[in-house]
C-alpha cells in the first residue's frame, strides 16, 4: 500500500498551553480537525466563562477545532458544568488526582468532595476524562495506573454506571483489560506509549524527552497497547497527550513531564500500524472511534497519507526565545501527509 486516504483525524487529548507557547504550538496540530484541549493551565480552566475565554485565545492562535474541557476541582459548581456542556461550549470535564502530574495541584484529593458534580454530570450526560494514576507516596510510580483501576475507577464505575468515562493515556495491559471489561468507557492512547518502553527512556542514559506521565512502562505493556490500538476495538482511540515544555524545562536536573508529538503524530502512527500489519485499522483509531465515543459526527473531509522516501523527523520548533524539542521516534519516518 503506497497511500492511505482516511477521514481527517482528531486528537482526543491535547495540551495547547497559553500565551507564547500557545502561539507556537497551535499551528502544529494542523493535521487534526478537532482536539480535546486539556485545562491544566496556571491557573486552571475551571469555569464555563474561563473555557469560553481560552477557546477564543486558541482560535486566535490558529487552531480551528478546539473542544473544551473543564478542570474538576473540589469547589467546582455542578450547575456551571451542566450549563457549559448544554450550551455546546464544553465537551468534557477532566479529573486530575491532586499531585499526579503537571499543574495538578488544584485537582481532586477526595472523591467524596466532587460527588455532587459527578451526580450532575451523570444525569446530564457530561463525559468525565480521567488522569488514571494514584498519588499515594508509597505507591511505586510504575504501579500508579494499575492501583488507580482498583482503588478509584472500579468504585467510580459502580457508583455512577451511566457516567461516560474516558480513561486517558492508558499505559498498561491492566488498563486495556479494565476498559474492555467495563461499559460506557473509552480510552485514549498516545504515540509515545505505542512506540516506546521504559528501556528506551532509561538504558544507556536518561532521555528527558521521553519522560511523560503516566511514565513509559515495560515492553509487554507497550505491546498490549499496540494490540488494543490496532484491534479495531472502538473503545480505543488516539489522544496524543502532546505536551510541549520549553527545552530548558525538559533538559533540566528535574525535568518536566510530557512529550511533544503533535507535528509528527500521524506519520508515527502510520509507522506503528504498518508494523502491526493493520493500516486498514488506522482510520478507526485516528478518525472514527473518538467521535463515536463522544457522540459527534466523524469529519467529512479526508486526508491522504503517502509513502515517501525515509526522512528524519524534525527535531524542534522554535520562535523568538522559545524552543520545544519534538518526540524522537528513533528511526526515520516514511509516511507523510504533505
Ligand atoms: O506527561 C504529561 N504531561 N502528562 C500529563 O498528564 C500532563 C502533561 C503536561 O501537561 O505537561
Ligand atoms: Zn495530558
Amino acid at each position: 500500500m503506497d497511500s492511505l486516504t482516511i477521514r481527517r483525524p482528531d486528537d482526543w487529548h491535547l495540551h495547547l498551553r497559553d500565551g507564547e507557547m500557545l502561539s507556537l504550538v497551535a499551528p502544529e496540530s494542523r493535521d487534526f480537525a478537532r482536539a480535546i484541549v486539556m485545562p491544566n493551565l496556571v491557573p486552571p480552566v475551571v469555569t464555563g466563562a474561563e473555557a469560553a475565554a481560552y477557546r477564543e485565545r486558541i482560535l486566535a492562535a490558529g487552531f480551528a477545532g478546539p473542544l473544551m474541557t473543564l478542570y474538576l476541582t473540589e469547589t467546582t459548581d455542578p450547575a456551571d458544568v451542566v450549563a457549559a456542556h448544554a450550551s455546546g461550549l464544553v465537551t468534557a470535564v477532566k479529573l486530575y488526582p491532586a499531585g499526579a502530574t503537571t499543574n495538578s495541584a488544584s485537582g481532586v484529593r477526595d472523591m467524596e468532595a466532587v460527588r455532587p458534580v459527578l451526580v450532575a454530570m451523570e444525569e446530564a450526560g457530561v463525559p468525565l476524562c480521567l488522569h488514571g494514576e494514584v498519588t499515594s507516596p508509597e505507591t511505586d510510580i510504575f504501579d500508579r495506573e494499575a492501583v488507580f483501576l482498583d482503588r478509584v475507577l472500579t468504585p467510580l464505575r459502580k457508583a455512577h454506571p451511566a457516567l461516560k468515562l474516558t480513561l486517558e493515556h492508558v499505559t498498561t495491559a491492566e488498563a486495556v483489560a479494565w476498559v474492555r471489561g467495563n461499559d460506557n468507557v473509552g480510552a485514549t492512547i498516545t504515540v509515545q506509549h505505542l512506540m516506546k518502553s521504559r528501556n528506551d527512556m532509561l538504558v544507556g542514559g536518561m532521555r528527558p524527552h521521553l519522560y511523560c506521565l503516566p511514565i513509559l512502562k515495560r515492553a509487554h505493556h507497550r505491546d498490549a497497547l499496540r494490540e488494543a490500538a490496532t484491534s479495531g476495538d472502538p473503545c480505543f482511540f488516539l489522544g496524543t497527550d502532546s505536551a510541549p515544555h520549553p527545552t530548558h524545562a525538559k533538559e533540566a536536573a528535574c525535568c518536566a513531564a510530557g512529550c511533544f508529538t503533535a507535528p509528527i503524530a500521524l506519520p508515527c502512527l502510520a509507522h506503528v500500524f504498518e508494523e502491526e500489519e493493520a493500516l486498514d485499522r488506522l482510520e478507526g483509531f485516528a478518525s472514527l472511534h473518538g467521535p463515536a465515543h463522544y457522540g459527534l459526527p466523524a469529519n467529512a473531509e479526508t486526508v491522504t497519507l503517502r509513502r515517501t522516501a525515509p526522512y528524519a523527523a524534525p527535531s524542534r520548533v522554535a520562535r523568538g526565545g522559545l524552543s520545544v524539542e519534538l518526540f524522537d521516534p528513533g528511526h526515520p519516518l516514511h509516511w507523510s501527509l504533505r
Side-chain angles (χ1 to χ4, degrees), residues 12-50:
W12 299 95
H13 183 133
L14 175 65
H15 296 268
L16 284 175
R17 314 300 193 202
D18 212 347
E20 243 191 299
M21 183 65 96
L22 170 61
S23 309
L24 180 66
V25 302
E28 298 296 334
S29 283
R30 60 179 73 81
D31 292 345
F32 299 97
R34 297 170 289 190
I36 291 248
V37 180
M38 288 296 128
N40 62 333
L41 307 183
V42 189
V45 178
V46 174
T47 66
E50 287 161 358

Side-chain angles (χ1 to χ4, degrees), residues 15 17 40 96 101-102 131 169 211-214 241 243-245 257-259:
H15 296 268
R17 314 300 193 202
N40 62 333
Y96 288 101
T101 186
T102 312
H131 182 109
H169 42 54
Y211 175 66
C212 64
L213 291 170
D241 196 14
H245 292 276
C259 299

Side-chain angles (χ1 to χ4, degrees), residues 231-254:
S231 66
D233 185 335
C235 295
F236 300 102
F237 44 91
L238 174 63
T240 65
D241 196 14
S242 181
H245 292 276
T247 303
H248 66 80
K250 291 293 291 178
E251 297 176 0
C254 180

Side-chain angles (χ1 to χ4, degrees), residues 294-305:
Y294 282 102
L296 297 167
N299 297 307
E301 205 192 339
T302 59
V303 295
T304 299
L305 279 149

